[in-house]
Amino acid sequence: MTVIAPSVVPQTEASVPTARQYIRYLFYKVRASWRHDIPSDQRPRLRQELVEVLDQFEQRLPVLRAFSTLGTRGDVDFMLWMVSERLEDFQELQSAVLQSKMGAHLDTPYSYLAMTRRSQYVDKHVHADGDGEGRRTRIRPTDRKYLFVYPMVKKRPWYRLSLEERQRAMDEHIRVGHEFPRVKINTSYSFGLDDQEFVVAFETDYPGDFLDLVERLRGGEASAYTERETPIFTCVAGGIDEVLELVG
């Protein structure tokens, strides 16, 4: 058998493999049975049991953060933003939650799975702080109070445009984003992993900035090729114990 040795090609920075991360945005709804069947004096102990379960995963995962959606959505009560290099971590976390006594009273109306990757449109784009959203393959959350999350699907004609046409539309998109430096975007990719194509999450301390940013983007060329970008979740950051306490 003849074996042909591959030629050695010097690796450029762009061709060096980069470690990607999995991202999951997991939304929970507390069932009515939690308040109807569990006496109020027993709930703190059961909440604390779940806090201790999640604390173990907080030590394991690069990112595990809790957010309340109580008062901002009617169909979900809180969300866990989790990041890992292993899909199995998400399975193990959800299994542990479901086996807890409070977990028996939780539904998951929404769950979005995605991965990080380098963007073909903004790979050379660098922010003033030296970070480039399109260059990141590692999620680095800030301590900002609000997180706005939504899945997104582009219309198929978008992918039939030439790269130059798409780049022009995205350049406009980026220019508008620069006008709102207090809003940080986290873009993740779901092609083949979940029903959506992207999941985007915006961190900010100023919800008004996010509202104005979205309004500006609506008029852009890239926005004309958006098929769907709902549901949209307005999430308020808090400690795991604080977020669980809010649900009663």
Side-chain angles (χ1 to χ4, degrees):
M1 180 177 67
T2 302
V3 178
I4 301 175
S7 60
V8 178
V9 179
Q11 286 188 314
T12 64
E13 181 181 353
S15 65
V16 174
T18 56
R20 298 189 188 183
Q21 292 179 311
Y22 295 100
I23 305 106
R24 191 182 189 196
Y25 299 92
L26 182 56
F27 292 86
Y28 288 99
K29 178 67 177 179
V30 180
R31 297 176 186 166
S33 61
W34 172 249
R35 299 180 184 87
H36 294 168
D37 300 343
I38 307 299
S40 58
D41 61 341
Q42 294 182 21
R43 290 181 217 150
R45 176 175 54 83
L46 302 186
R47 287 198 304 265
Q48 183 58 33
E49 177 199 13
L50 182 52
V51 169
E52 292 172 2
V53 167
L54 293 173
D55 280 346
Q56 296 176 22
F57 285 90
E58 193 173 22
Q59 302 303 315
R60 285 174 48 183
L61 303 183
V63 176
L64 179 58
R65 296 202 170 187
F67 296 82
S68 175
T69 53
L70 202 68
T72 66
R73 294 279 305 195
D75 49 359
V76 289
D77 293 321
F78 66 96
M79 185 270 286
L80 296 179
W81 180 15
M82 60 191 80
V83 177
S84 179
E85 288 76 31
R86 298 175 64 249
L87 273 175
E88 292 79 6
D89 283 334
F90 299 162
Q91 291 182 320
E92 293 163 12
L93 183 149
Q94 179 68 341
S95 177
V97 169
L98 294 177
Q99 291 179 54
S100 70
K101 292 183 175 63
M102 185 176 182
H105 299 273
L106 300 178
D107 289 324
T108 53
Y110 301 99
S111 173
Y112 301 106
L113 178 66
M115 289 185 74
T116 58
R117 59 165 284 186
R118 291 182 181 272
S119 169
Q120 62 181 311
Y121 305 115
V122 292
D123 191 51
K124 297 180 180 180
H125 170 58
V126 179
H127 288 276
D129 61 4
D131 193 15
E133 192 276 329
R135 302 170 60 164
R136 292 196 300 265
T137 57
R138 316 292 291 178
I139 297 295
R140 295 195 292 271
T142 64
D143 292 325
R144 299 174 197 183
K145 187 164 184 64
Y146 304 103
L147 185 72
F148 300 90
V149 180
Y150 59 84
M152 186 170 67
V153 175
K154 302 291 285 185
K155 295 179 181 178
R156 291 300 173 89
W158 169 257
Y159 299 104
R160 295 199 295 268
L161 297 176
S162 68
L163 179 58
E164 291 75 16
E165 291 173 303
R166 282 180 278 143
Q167 186 66 64
R168 183 184 66 246
M170 292 306 298
D171 285 345
E172 177 192 27
H173 199 81
I174 293 166
R175 284 195 299 271
V176 172
H178 276 176
E179 298 176 20
F180 300 87
R182 298 190 298 186
V183 180
K184 177 189 175 185
I185 182 174
N186 296 278
T187 303
S188 53
Y189 302 80
S190 300
F191 295 98
L193 300 180
D194 208 338
D195 295 344
Q196 68 282 341
E197 295 171 353
F198 310 89
V199 184
V200 289
F202 296 83
E203 300 172 80
T204 187
D205 287 323
Y206 305 93
D209 282 12
F210 178 69
L211 184 150
D212 294 341
L213 168 62
V214 173
E215 183 182 23
R216 286 288 309 281
L217 291 176
R218 288 288 191 270
E221 183 178 356
S223 181
Y225 289 93
T226 298
E227 179 73 32
R228 174 173 57 86
E229 51 185 359
T230 56
I232 298 177
F233 302 90
T234 297
C235 311
V236 183
I240 293 172
D241 55 341
E242 297 171 326
V243 168
L244 292 181
E245 186 176 2
L246 283 172
V247 302

